[in-house]
Amino acid sequence: PLSIWLAHKLDLIDNSFTLSIWHLVLAVLLFSVIFEGFVPMLDSSSTRDPGDIIAYLDGAILVYIVGVWKGKKHAVEEPKSS
């Protein structure tokens, strides 16, 4: 994703960073709570839209599929079993 590329360019993360499925789950949860929960409470011009949550989830699934399909180091990595 664009944010990973930008973080690399700004030297905020190193080349060994991999995006796990848990990063994607956390991102969906955070975006859902912030933009569909808190923002509509604070800004009367914002509305809650459950369809947006589905869009966040669809985006995460797309990132996962593309990462697995490309098999790149900086895409998505399956969590390792202990």
Side-chain angles (χ1 to χ4, degrees):
L2 181 60
S3 57
I4 300 288
W5 175 82
L6 183 59
H8 279 291
K9 291 295 181 188
L10 296 173
D11 289 326
L12 298 174
I13 56 176
D14 63 15
N15 288 335
S16 65
F17 178 79
T18 54
L19 189 62
S20 74
I21 194 148
W22 300 112
H23 289 111
L24 299 174
V25 169
L26 182 61
V28 169
L29 290 173
L30 284 174
F31 280 107
S32 298
V33 169
I34 292 169
F35 294 111
E36 305 307 320
F38 293 133
V39 171
M41 287 190 303
L42 301 173
D43 182 7
S44 62
S45 66
S46 295
T47 58
R48 289 187 172 108
D49 184 1
D52 287 346
I53 297 172
I54 293 170
Y56 304 147
L57 184 59
D58 288 345
I61 291 169
L62 181 64
V63 167
Y64 179 79
I65 289 170
V66 168
V68 168
W69 177 68
K70 282 188 169 190
K72 290 197 171 196
K73 184 177 183 181
H74 301 296
V76 177
E77 179 181 275
E78 283 288 331
K80 295 177 182 161
S81 304
S82 306

